Amino acid sequence: MNLTRTYLDYAATTPVDSRVMETMMPFFEQQFGNPSSIHFYGQEADAAIGNARESVSKSLGCSANEVIFTACGTESDNLAIRGAAIAMRKQNGARHILITPVEHHAVSVTAKQLADKFGFEFESLPVDQTGVTNASEVASRIRKETAVVSVIYANNEIGTINPIAEIGAVCREHGVPFHVDAVQAAAHLPINVVTDKVDLCSIGAHKFYGPKGVGALYIRNGTPILPIITGGGQEGGYRAGTQNVPYIVGLAKALQITCNEMLENSSKVKMLRDRIIGRVIEDIPNARLTGHQIQRLPNHASFVFEGVDGNSLLVMLDMAGFACSSGSACKTGNPEPSEVLTAIGLPRRWALGSLRVTLGRETILAEVDRFLDLLPALVKRAHAYEP
Ligand SMILES: *Cc1c(COP(=O)(O)O)cnc(C)c1O
């Protein structure tokens, strides 16, 4: 008998939308030119990138010349943090980096490297037990010599949404570049970089039904930033290398579809998400929701179960056909609780039993109900493997 497989891990990645595939295809074989070439083929590719840039800028609420394309969300985060930190230090000696303790590794590891190897000072902002960073905390820590502030828009592990516009106002008032990692948020929240008062904003296509291996970075005009990948002057000099034309076209199309269909999709997944949260908390003893109850991504349900081995639970779910995720790094032997779950104050016995269920456009009620019918017994069984 074939196992029915159900994908409930849309925060990890999404399938490519067929309309996106269709838009990308001509740029592999027919319109294959190098966008930097003078001739017709080059012009054709350059025009496609120009249109993509225009489209992304409309989705984000900025000017086309403020959008550059990169190879992934991680690269956008790296360019924003490293590029702004180094440029600010060169400009006014700033060497203080302020980030939350619940950033994606693309931000946190980059900031820590700048501190450990390049003489920057790294400071962690406090978060409350739902994972929110308040603007007042930024206001009390930001300094004249702060080089960059980075706050995750919506958390990948616990779904919590931060008050970005309020934090942006504080940074703007102090003249400090403000980066937001919106890689997870872009799939579900309308992002406007002007009203959010951000200077740098990272997105990655594969989280919103585009291809893997392409991202974008919004760089507000005038933001100091040192290019990290140097070479030919592509992407306004901010990111050298011949552009990946089909993927860039795909990112723009995927973002456009996401924005157009956001209301409809959000309300659909939100209903299913709330069904999951309600039933899990009701049916499973010693279960807690992680993250904020209301200020959370509409497709995101995340839990901890006390005394449960989260990795064993994921394996059992996978064997039953359900693809989910957890927060903890998947290590055998001595598992490490996730930094995010530790930062929101969860003790080890809770943090090791984490489960993340993230929904997408394809998720249907029947799948959610099959999942909910099965989960309590598996959680009970995973208690036996208490870490
Ligand atoms: C997925 C993700 C990234 C990394 O993006 P890639 O395109 O996979 O490199 C960064 N930040 C957050 C919040 C993410 O969810």
Side-chain angles (χ1 to χ4, degrees):
M1 196 186 79
N2 270 337
L3 183 62
T4 313
R5 297 236 174 238
T6 305
Y7 188 75
L8 298 173
D9 199 13
Y10 287 83
T13 196
T14 57
V16 178
D17 187 295
S18 58
R19 293 165 289 180
V20 172
M21 282 294 287
E22 228 172 88
T23 311
M24 290 168 62
M25 289 314 279
F27 295 95
F28 287 104
E29 285 188 299
Q30 291 94 41
Q31 292 158 247
F32 63 87
N34 183 327
S36 300
S37 299
I38 298 279
H39 48 63
F40 173 80
Y41 295 87
Q43 291 169 25
E44 202 175 44
D46 189 50
I49 290 188
N51 290 338
R53 206 182 307 284
E54 189 71 39
S55 168
V56 171
S57 73
K58 283 213 180 82
S59 299
L60 299 178
C62 62
S63 308
N65 70 357
E66 294 174 306
V67 173
I68 69 145
F69 295 110
T70 66
C72 56
T74 298
E75 190 192 309
S76 296
D77 284 342
N78 269 260
L79 175 55
I81 305 291
R82 194 175 283 115
I86 295 172
M88 283 295 284
R89 182 163 67 183
K90 196 159 181 345
Q91 186 173 297
N92 65 4
R95 43 180 290 279
H96 175 234
I97 298 173
L98 201 49
I99 71 169
T100 82
V102 297
E103 295 301 307
H104 190 277
H105 279 155
V107 168
S108 61
V109 174
T110 305
K112 279 172 193 152
Q113 189 206 51
L114 287 166
D116 293 347
K117 314 271 189 206
F118 295 95
F120 284 87
E121 179 197 346
F122 167 90
E123 187 176 354
S124 212
L125 287 155
V127 285
D128 69 15
Q129 53 188 354
T130 66
V132 170
T133 294
N134 287 308
S136 60
E137 303 287 5
V138 179
S140 67
R141 280 166 186 79
I142 200 166
R143 312 180 199 151
K144 266 211 313 287
E145 64 279 12
T146 303
V148 62
V149 174
S150 190
V151 174
I152 193 164
Y153 205 125
N155 192 275
N156 46 304
E157 259 181 75
I158 57 175
T160 298
I161 300 167
N162 272 306
I164 293 301
E166 291 165 31
I167 297 170
V170 171
C171 296
R172 187 65 51 88
E173 197 183 303
H174 288 79
V176 171
F178 178 39
H179 170 250
V180 296
D181 175 343
V183 178
Q184 206 59 237
H188 308 282
L189 307 175
I191 289 168
N192 184 304
V193 290
V194 174
T195 53
D196 283 342
K197 296 190 166 63
V198 309
D199 301 295
L200 300 156
C201 178
S202 300
I203 60 171
H206 77 98
K207 303 287 172 71
F208 50 82
Y209 305 86
K212 293 167 187 61
V214 61
L217 179 65
Y218 159 72
I219 305 176
R220 188 166 86 98
N221 279 330
T223 308
I225 190 148
L226 183 85
I228 304 302
I229 299 182
T230 47
Q234 291 96 343
E235 295 302 299
Y238 285 115
R239 202 274 183 184
T242 302
Q243 290 96 334
N244 190 339
V245 183
Y247 280 39
I248 288 170
V249 168
L251 178 146
K253 181 71 178 177
L255 187 60
Q256 185 194 46
I257 294 171
T258 296
C259 292
N260 287 344
E261 301 177 357
M262 192 171 279
L263 272 181
E264 188 191 327
N265 283 318
S266 293
S267 59
K268 202 193 93 183
V269 288
K270 198 170 174 181
M271 195 194 71
L272 299 173
R273 176 202 72 181
D274 289 341
R275 190 178 181 89
I276 294 174
I277 293 175
R279 285 258 318 259
V280 167
I281 298 302
E282 201 176 290
D283 292 357
I284 303 180
N286 296 330
R288 273 196 217 169
L289 180 73
T290 55
H292 201 282
Q293 282 216 320
I294 298 147
Q295 293 301 326
R296 69 181 299 128
L297 289 170
N299 73 321
H300 196 295
S302 55
F303 307 95
V304 283
F305 306 107
E306 189 187 15
V308 164
D309 178 6
N311 288 334
S312 301
L313 179 60
L314 289 184
V315 171
M316 288 183 217
L317 280 165
D318 186 44
M319 286 181 350
F322 293 98
C324 301
S325 165
S326 80
S328 57
C330 199
K331 279 192 206 144
T332 44
N334 185 24
E336 280 304 312
S338 124
E339 289 160 31
V340 171
L341 299 180
T342 304
I344 60 171
L346 285 171
R348 188 183 161 84
R349 263 179 67 74
W350 283 89
L352 287 176
S354 65
L355 175 68
R356 178 181 78 180
V357 186
T358 47
L359 314 176
R361 291 183 193 157
E362 291 82 4
T363 311
I364 57 167
L365 178 62
E367 293 173 323
V368 165
D369 281 345
R370 279 202 308 116
F371 172 77
L372 288 170
D373 289 342
L374 178 79
L375 187 65
L378 294 191
V379 171
K380 201 170 171 193
R381 229 196 294 161
H383 266 289
Y385 298 91
E386 181 162 342

